[in-house]
Amino acid sequence: MFTGIVEELGTLESIDRRGDSARLRIRGPLVTSDAGHGDSIAVNGVCLTVTEWETGAHFDVDVMAETLDRTALAALAPGDPVNLERAMRADARFGGHIVQGHVDGTGRVVSRVEHEHWHVLRISLPGDLARYVVEKGSITVSGTSLTVSAVSGPGEADAWFEVSLIPTTLEATILGGLAHGDPVNLEVDVLAKYVERLLDGRGGGSR
């Protein structure tokens, strides 16, 4: 489990494509400082398993076709920055919200409005995820825990949401460099999905 508090901006060093899968090598001195075989590291919000590593340098992960199809990892190129977070320790502070590292879908940056001390990103939202996103609720954007500042109305043809980025987020995550049309990984609040499931069971599928 993760919290969506990005620990380090890493760099994708290489992609070794192997038919229906790929092996990624990612530079991350901090997250590899105590890495071990089989550890989980979230890369742009995708929970991946460490297969090889060099302490204080880089680590390798294998990515299967389904992950490449369902996330924005396939759009990465060598040299691109990536958000990195190690799995949460049981004795650590819970700084963000519950993040599984299981991407629900992808969106794209629709617009970016720059204010003096913060930026506002509007991001497209797959229609089947819109019901889980509420104003002032939590969402994970490429591994970053954020608070939703605005959402599209029920009558709008294309669903979207907005997040406001403070200077720390702009500097410490890949979100600071996103431009119009860039893809992002989205994970909605898992608690909303559990509540929906429970209500379905209680009401026979009715809302």
Side-chain angles (χ1 to χ4, degrees):
M1 188 179 76
F2 306 91
T3 69
I5 304 300
V6 174
E7 294 187 277
E8 180 177 22
L9 263 179
T11 304
L12 178 63
E13 289 192 339
S14 64
I15 304 177
D16 179 12
R17 299 193 181 275
R18 304 178 175 188
D20 62 351
S21 65
R23 173 163 289 190
L24 310 183
R25 172 162 290 184
I26 299 165
R27 175 160 292 277
L30 175 62
V31 299
T32 56
S33 62
D34 60 353
H37 187 271
D39 282 357
S40 295
I41 296 178
V43 179
N44 282 356
V46 183
C47 178
L48 299 174
T49 301
V50 174
T51 57
E52 296 182 25
W53 75 99
E54 181 179 331
T55 302
H58 57 252
F59 64 99
D60 293 354
V61 292
D62 291 321
V63 184
M64 59 185 176
E66 181 178 3
T67 303
L68 293 171
D69 291 341
R70 291 178 175 268
T71 73
L73 291 181
L76 293 174
D80 284 348
V82 289
N83 290 331
L84 301 176
E85 181 190 356
R86 290 168 289 188
M88 181 184 177
R89 286 173 26 180
D91 63 348
R93 289 182 176 176
F94 201 120
H97 72 283
I98 296 175
V99 177
Q100 296 180 295
H102 302 161
V103 172
D104 292 304
T106 59
R108 289 188 178 273
V109 177
V110 176
S111 65
R112 183 185 198 102
V113 179
E114 299 185 7
H115 298 274
E116 184 178 1
H117 298 297
W118 73 91
H119 295 183
V120 177
L121 288 185
R122 177 172 291 191
I123 298 171
S124 64
L125 184 63
D128 59 340
L129 298 181
R131 64 183 181 275
Y132 302 117
V133 181
V134 297
E135 188 173 342
K136 307 305 179 186
S138 296
I139 192 167
T140 309
V141 179
S142 290
T144 307
S145 173
L146 296 168
T147 300
V148 177
S149 56
V151 294
S152 55
E156 296 189 48
D158 298 316
W160 54 265
F161 68 95
E162 289 182 351
V163 289
S164 299
L165 308 180
I166 62 174
T168 298
T169 305
L170 294 170
E171 295 170 4
T173 75
I174 67 168
L175 303 187
L178 293 180
H180 180 271
D182 284 345
V184 293
N185 293 320
L186 303 175
E187 182 183 333
V188 298
D189 190 345
V190 67
L191 296 180
K193 293 190 287 186
Y194 278 127
V195 169
E196 180 184 61
R197 183 70 170 176
L198 289 169
L199 290 176
D200 281 347
R202 178 179 297 180
S206 63
R207 298 291 190 276

